[in-house]
Amino acid sequence: FGPMFAGDIRRQRVSAMRGVRHWRWYLDELYVKLNGEMVYLWRAVDQEGEILESYIIRTRDKDAALTFMKKALKRHGSPENITTDGLRSYKAAMTELGNADKQEVGRWANNRVENSHLSFRRRERAMLRLRRMKSLQKFASVHANVHNHFNHERYLVDRQTYKDRRSAVLAEWQCLMA
């Protein structure tokens, strides 16, 4: 299921977001254990909490940040601002790309992406363990697309609006599955 529909869902969301004027990204990395070895999941989240890009790599250095940013910029275009944590790899990679003036670093400025890791961690624990790099990359990509499809920011709307939106999303999901 995942590989069949994930690309279509992503293309629809990206084409809808390209017209937004004040597009802001939040970048972060988190570690994931893969057969007892630490690998890093680099993620980009936009201002609405939609996961734009997920990328698995074994290192947490400038080259990894540069590869991740090039991939995200190529696929989603250039944002107005990029908020990161204090990792120096981001600054080095952004300087090389020529985006150093777009970077913002703050103590709690990166909370949006930190909170987006929670649903991934919850699902990761339910799966017990991931064993291969390829399956982890596929899981991260599909999880991001499905999470984006069902994410409705419950805290921003009243119950009835949320239920109506949820019903519409489930109906769309049924059409995709049929």
Side-chain angles (χ1 to χ4, degrees):
F1 147 77
M4 289 172 44
F5 298 113
D8 292 335
I9 293 170
R10 178 180 296 230
R11 273 190 290 282
Q12 290 171 1
R13 292 201 177 275
V14 168
S15 65
M17 289 302 293
R18 282 196 188 268
V20 176
R21 285 183 42 223
H22 303 290
W23 203 11
R24 173 183 295 258
W25 287 4
Y26 299 86
L27 304 181
D28 195 32
E29 73 289 336
L30 73 143
Y31 72 90
V32 180
K33 275 197 175 179
L34 189 68
N35 283 336
E37 181 185 349
M38 301 280 270
V39 295
Y40 295 94
L41 171 63
W42 295 73
R43 293 173 45 141
V45 176
D46 72 355
Q47 74 274 3
E48 294 180 352
E50 303 251 341
I51 301 167
L52 300 173
E53 196 69 44
S54 299
Y55 183 65
I56 308 288
I57 196 162
R58 294 188 189 279
T59 58
R60 190 177 167 220
D61 57 1
K62 176 189 163 191
D63 292 332
L66 190 60
T67 304
F68 170 66
M69 285 184 188
K70 281 182 181 177
K71 184 177 178 183
L73 288 169
K74 182 178 180 183
R75 183 171 284 176
H76 299 286
S78 182
E80 193 169 295
N81 293 327
I82 300 175
T83 304
T84 64
D85 55 8
L87 186 66
R88 291 183 295 181
S89 303
Y90 289 121
K91 184 173 176 80
M94 291 182 80
T95 302
E96 188 166 319
L97 289 172
N99 287 341
D101 57 326
K102 293 182 179 183
Q103 184 181 15
E104 294 179 6
V105 179
R107 188 166 182 180
W108 291 287
N110 215 21
N111 282 350
R112 182 169 301 278
V113 72
E114 296 290 349
N115 288 332
S116 78
H117 297 325
L118 299 177
S119 62
F120 180 84
R121 289 285 192 205
R122 199 176 312 124
R123 187 68 195 136
E124 178 193 22
R125 271 194 302 278
M127 291 179 67
L128 296 179
R129 193 169 76 188
L130 296 158
R131 290 168 181 80
R132 292 189 353 232
M133 190 81 115
K134 185 177 178 182
S135 63
L136 176 59
Q137 178 67 56
K138 190 179 288 187
F139 166 69
S141 297
V142 170
H143 180 271
N145 286 316
V146 171
H147 174 74
N148 287 344
H149 188 70
F150 285 100
N151 182 21
H152 290 291
E153 288 131 4
R154 170 70 183 97
Y155 57 91
L156 293 176
V157 296
D158 62 10
R159 183 169 175 74
Q160 188 57 44
T161 306
Y162 175 74
K163 286 173 77 173
D164 293 342
R165 288 180 182 172
R166 182 91 174 161
S167 298
V169 166
L170 288 173
E172 184 180 343
W173 187 260
Q174 292 299 325
C175 289
L176 284 173
M177 296 303 294

